[in-house]
Structure formats: structure tokens, C-alpha cells
Amino acid sequence: MSVPRWEAQGLITPTSDPPNARNDEIRSPTKTESFQQQEEQTLKNEPRVSLAEVIPSHGPFRNPPRKSTPGIFWGSPFTMVSTFLVGLGSAVALHGYYSSLNGQKVGDSRQQQRALRIGTTLAFITQICLVASVHHAYVQCLWRALKRSVISIKGVDSGFAASSSLLAFLNLEMLSRLRLASFLALVAWCIPISSLITPATLNVDAVLQTEAQTVNVPMLDISQAALYNNYAHAVPRQDGVQSGLQKFLGPRTILARLIVATASTGQVLSLPVPFTNSTYEQSFFGPFVQCHDASEQVIDEIEIAAEQRKRALDPSIQEISNEYFAFVPTSNGSSNVSTSSSVKVADLTDVNGAINASNQIWLKFPRYTSSPNFAQVPSPHYLSCELHNGSYHVRFSWVNGIQSIDILGMDILEAVPFPANVTSSSIDEEEMAYSAFMWALSGQITGSMGFFQDASNDTDNSTATRTYSDIDSNIAQTSLLGSSDLNSYFIQNHALSGDTDPNIYSSQRMQDMAFARNRTLDILIQELSSNITLSLISNPLLAPSTPTNVTTTFPVNIYNYRPLNVLIAYGIAIAFSLLATILGFFAYIANGVSHDNSFSSIVSTTHNVELSGLNAYERLGALPPDSRVEGTKLRWHAGEGAGKSKGGGGGGRWTRAWGFRIAS
């Protein structure tokens, strides 16, 4: 019979042989002969110790404890379940807290930090509680597996270290023999990953938020008779014929200036901005010029007026062709335009010449019926434009300070007559305000465009004939110049200049056409009249402030919670934790007792002399462990064998021992 290592080292000398010693002989790891000789020499110099000397004869070990059945200690499974429930509750609380913040306005830095701290705290509590629950289940399953397996000490070490060191998973023996415990240890390692995902689910996004409020904004007031003198200039008549009458002298300078500015740009002038991002709607009355094709009678009157204008030219100048002619016809003194041979062209530059003017503009120009070219001859076209009262419904918007105006609807109402015998009545004063608008607009449209020849004497007294073009109208300063109805003039003028460019339009003409979007005069004049009406709102004298419901839009930072990532991350973590808890319950039942991996638990399962002889006493657990010791196979044992001697000296009997022993 070989000598057990614990006896060969002389650590303990039993006073009598244990019963059945031959059958329960304890095997120690094999050694080389030189190693045995070296150990034997060392042991000769050390004192021999009896078992009675190892077990103290005083304190709690003086009398052996009575045998009892420990059962399952309730605190361990309660801790496993409670930590799982706390982790679950913390995850639900985190979801609820983030949901409450979703869509809320982000406050100052302190509020943001508070939200971040609360979310991080709840995520941390969820993480540590779920890990703690899985760890309890892992320990119970580990003990269950160790009791049923034959495994090396190295495998046992890796099993206990799996919850604290990833290097333990490199031990294939642990992975094969302690499969369930290894799986739960891996779950405990992976659960903290969920806490890295959840903070990123609550973001701060910049969005536009709307808010309605009542704000004083300008509103056109031209239809209010009491304010007519802001638009029109009139004085009492001094002729002594009829008292109480006024003399209408035309538009005020502010009105004329706004109309010129709008006509030159072709766009509504910049209006006062209530807020950088805001919108409001208004309904008001304002002037509108409606254009349509002239009747046959009006066409005849236009031809008569055109002939009169031609005869009034300097005899030395011959008009070759007229490409544009627009004028304001005179009235018969009763606010109606006379349609007879006596019709005249009102002179808007002379107050007395405009006394019997009208709120109409008649136009004649050549219009191409198809794509223009040098060979095609355009047909004469006639328009009649008249001032009306219009009912506007407009939406004003600003986005980042950029103005946008949309006419949502407009009803064209009655025609507005030119004020003839002006009194102080509200109707006449309103007509003067509207007529002042038409007077200033007509000044931008009336005039002529054509080609002429004149004969002049050169220095050698010879007579030379020159052909040239001329624009005698303010329309050249407006966006109307780009109208397709004026193409005939510019095509001929381009050819007259001798430009060899094969294009029928010059580059400047192409730019004007693009500015007017190549539309006809009837459309452009109507659009210009409405743009001028809206531009009047830019001046506080013409558009006093009125309380209006304004919708403001402003950027604001809000919390944006994306719950899907939280539900996926924590859903997986909670599902695996629940599975671990269930497996832990089965392990409690299978073990019959509660275990942990504390020092006392390890000591209580290894207190037999068989294991004490595996290591030299001077190592005291120092790393690295002896490779020969690590390879020793262990088995859980609950029978006769390794034990202790009762009594303090010589004889004694052996008792039962529970725990790990070396596998035979």
C-alpha cells in the first residue's frame, strides 16, 4: 500500500489505522524519483504533527456540533428574486421616465444634467441588479454541476473565477463539464452591454414649434375714407363757383415712390417682420387693375389717338413703325370715358390736363401668334385695363426672415370711377385714394415705343437719313419690359444695331424676358397692380397696425426618446435574467441547500486531510499553482473516507466526511 502524501509529509500522524484503509486508500499525484527523495529529506527535518494537535481543543471545536439538516436558506433565493424584480422595476422606471421626457422642451444645463443623472442611475441599478440575480443562479448551478462531475482542480478554479475573469472561459474542461454554469456566467458578463445602449436612446433634437399669439401687424387701410389724404392730394376749389368741392391733384409722393419701387423690381416690397418665423392671414379691400381685350369701339378710339399722336410729331421726324402705345383716355366730365372721336389722351404730368382723366389704360402693341422670328410679322393687339375694388385674402409668411406672400383668394368688385366733381363725402374721398393709386401706376405704363427716321445736314451740307429706335415710356424702368408682347420692338432693334449674333434676342433682352417670365402684358399688369397693393403695407402711414392672430414658429430643443432600442436591449437582458432565475430555482431544489462562493463555503467542502496533502504548506495559496495539483481530479463525496480522529492523541475512530475528495 502506498503512503498517502498527507502522511508522508508528516503533517498528521493518525494514532490508529482508519477502518477499511486498504479499500479507501487515497491516491496522490505521481512524482519522479528525485522529487520523492528531495521531499523525504525535507520531511526528516520537520517535526511530526498528530491530528489532535491540528484540531484545537478549545473554542467552538472543543465539542463537535450536533448533526443537523441545513435545508435551503431562504435568504439566498429571496435575494436572487428580489434583485431580479428590482432590476425589472428599474428598467420599467427608466422607460417611463424617458417616455415622460419625450417631446418635452429641453431646459437649461442643470435640467439636462438632472435628466442625464436620473437616466444613468436607473440604467446602472438595472444593470447591477440583473447581474446580481444571474450571479446567484450561476453559483447555485455551479455547485450543482460540481456535485455531479469529476473535474480537475483547474476546472473548479475556472468555474469559480468565471464570474470575475473572462480568461476562465479559455478552460475547455469548464465549458464542457460546467456548461450551464458557464452559460450563466457569460450572461452575467453580457448584461452590462444593455446599459451602454440605453443612454443613447434619449436624444436632444432641434425642431420647429408653433405658437399662436395676438400681435399688432400692419394692415392696408386704403378703403377707409378718413385716411384718403395719406394717398391722395386734394385742396378746396377756389373758383367760387361751387363751394365745398375739392380739386384732386394726384397721388401723394409716398404712394408714387412705393409704386415706382415695386414696378422696378416686379415684386412685393419687404414688409415689417413680426417674427423671424411667423405666419398670419388678413382680409382687406384694395385696388386691382383688370385687363382684357379691347372692344371694337375702343380699338377704333385707340387708332384715332395713335394717329393724333403721330401727327403731333416733329415734321422732320418720320415714324416708321409703332411697337407700343399706351395712354389714359379722358372722361366726359361725368366719370365715364367718352367713346367718340372727341376722346383725348390725358396728360398725367399736368394737374390741369388730368382733371378729366379716367381710371383706365388703353394699349396697342404687336403680338406674335407663334414663335417670333425675323420673317414673321406680328399682329396688332389691343388691351383695355380698368381700376377695380378688390377683396383680398392674403397669407403672409416668413421663414428665417425670408418673406413669402400668397393671395389665397380675391374677388374683383365694382369698377372705381375717376373723381370728377369731388366733394367731402366718404365715397369721393375713397375714390380719390383709389384714383391716386391708378394715376401713379399709369405713369409707369403710358408712353410709346417705335422706330423713327430723321433727315439732318452733315458738315458737308449733304442730307443724311438716320433710322433709330426710341422708348418714350417709363415702362423701360419696370419689370413689364420683359413681356413677350414687346418682343417685336427688340427683335427689330437687335437687327437694326447690326449685331452679327444669329440669335434674335440680345443677352440683355434674354435677361429681361427671364425676369418677366416671358408673359403677356395683360397678365403682368394685373400682377403688378396686386403687388403694388401689397407693397403699400410696407409703409406705416398707409397701413396702420391692427391686432392680428400670428402663428410664430421658432426652433426649440426637445427630448426625442426612441424606445425601440431600450425595449430590445433590456428585453433581452431581462429575458435571460428571468431564465437564469428559473434555472437557479431548479438548482436550489436539486442541491437541497443554498450555496455561495464565500471562503467559509469553500472551507466547509474541503476540510478533509486528503486535500490538505496536495500542496506544500509553505505555498499558502500563492500563485501560480502547481500544475500537478491543478490536474488532480476531484469528486463530490458524502460517505466514509477522509475524516478526522476523535480524541486528542493515540486511538480514535473515523467519522463521516462531506465535500470534495480526490477522485479514485
Side-chain angles (χ1 to χ4, degrees), residues 354-428:
I355 289 179
N356 292 324
S358 65
N359 284 332
Q360 294 187 28
I361 306 175
W362 292 352
L363 302 91
K364 174 190 176 183
F365 49 84
R367 174 181 285 180
Y368 287 101
T369 57
S370 60
S371 299
N373 54 67
F374 290 113
Q376 182 184 2
V377 178
S379 303
H381 196 82
Y382 303 87
L383 287 180
S384 175
C385 300
E386 188 174 13
L387 176 65
H388 286 259
N389 185 24
S391 176
Y392 289 81
H393 183 59
V394 186
R395 179 173 58 215
F396 303 89
S397 303
W398 287 264
V399 178
N400 296 328
I402 300 176
Q403 176 178 284
S404 175
I405 299 178
D406 299 313
I407 299 178
L408 303 179
M410 186 180 66
D411 296 326
I412 302 175
L413 306 178
E414 73 281 356
V416 179
F418 190 86
N421 298 317
V422 182
T423 65
S424 299
S425 67
S426 60
I427 296 178
D428 288 346

Side-chain angles (χ1 to χ4, degrees), residues 119-189:
T120 303
T121 301
L122 291 175
F124 177 72
I125 293 174
T126 302
Q127 169 192 327
I128 61 175
C129 288
L130 293 181
V131 170
S133 176
V134 174
H135 184 267
H136 274 77
Y138 146 76
V139 171
Q140 305 311 312
C141 292
L142 174 62
W143 282 102
R144 175 58 180 164
L146 291 176
K147 292 178 179 181
R148 304 175 62 182
S149 304
V150 176
I151 187 171
S152 68
I153 292 180
K154 184 175 182 181
V156 175
D157 289 343
S158 298
F160 280 103
S163 61
S164 59
S165 174
L166 287 173
L167 296 178
F169 290 92
L170 300 178
N171 190 314
L172 299 180
E173 184 185 17
M174 180 198 76
L175 298 177
S176 62
R177 295 187 177 274
L178 308 176
R179 291 187 295 272
L180 185 56
S182 301
F183 168 73
L184 295 181
L186 184 61
V187 169
W189 276 102

Side-chain angles (χ1 to χ4, degrees), residues 90-108:
S90 179
V92 173
L94 176 64
H95 172 68
Y97 177 67
Y98 279 177
S99 297
S100 67
L101 293 178
N102 187 39
Q104 297 295 319
K105 184 178 178 181
V106 178
D108 54 21

